[in-house]
Amino acid sequence: MGTRFTASSPVIIALLGCALALNGTWVMGAFQSVGIFAFADHGESVLDAVYLVSITVLSLTLLLVGYFEHGAGRLLARRGTFWVSAACTVLATLAMPLGGLPSPEGSLFVAGTGVLSGVASALFLM
């Protein structure tokens, strides 16, 4: 017989918790990061681009973690994974202002910090 999900099912509760965590994380992060870009001419557009890349990569990472459940479980069980994901989140946040450079390197920083932030945030949330 198939699995039956009810409103109190652990799967439903986990999905709702994940949705609330994602919502809270992105809203809080967006407003806190604005202060970093107060001096930049195009700070808001850089933030928008980084967060778009980050949200997309976060979603893809969560899909991969779900697909490769056993391998991801072993990776996430390591204490170092927590510290590396936290350090990568900090690094991505501090490197974000470099995305405002008017050069090809600026675009690389936007993409790189978005990818780094997305992967690190997904691992941290898991």
Side-chain angles (χ1 to χ4, degrees):
M1 297 221 148
T3 304
R4 185 168 176 193
F5 296 111
T6 63
S8 63
S9 167
V11 173
I12 300 299
I13 292 170
L15 288 173
L16 287 172
C18 184
L20 289 172
L22 285 172
N23 184 35
T25 300
W26 291 115
V27 171
M28 181 181 67
F31 285 111
Q32 289 179 349
S33 296
V34 169
I36 295 173
F37 290 96
F39 66 90
D41 293 335
H42 304 291
E44 192 172 333
S45 62
V46 170
L47 271 175
D48 289 345
V50 169
Y51 284 131
L52 178 63
V53 172
S54 185
I55 290 168
T56 303
V57 170
L58 182 137
S59 300
L60 292 173
T61 303
L62 289 176
L63 286 173
L64 287 172
V65 165
Y67 186 76
F68 297 107
E69 178 181 353
H70 297 293
R74 286 192 303 270
L75 175 68
L76 294 170
R78 295 181 182 189
R79 185 181 309 234
T81 302
F82 172 80
W83 293 109
V84 167
S85 68
C88 287
T89 302
V90 169
L91 179 64
T93 303
L94 294 177
M96 245 187 263
L98 296 174
L101 296 174
S103 64
E105 290 81 14
S107 298
L108 282 175
F109 274 104
V110 166
T113 56
V115 169
L116 189 61
S117 173
V119 171
S121 295
L123 294 178
F124 185 79
L125 287 171
M126 295 306 293

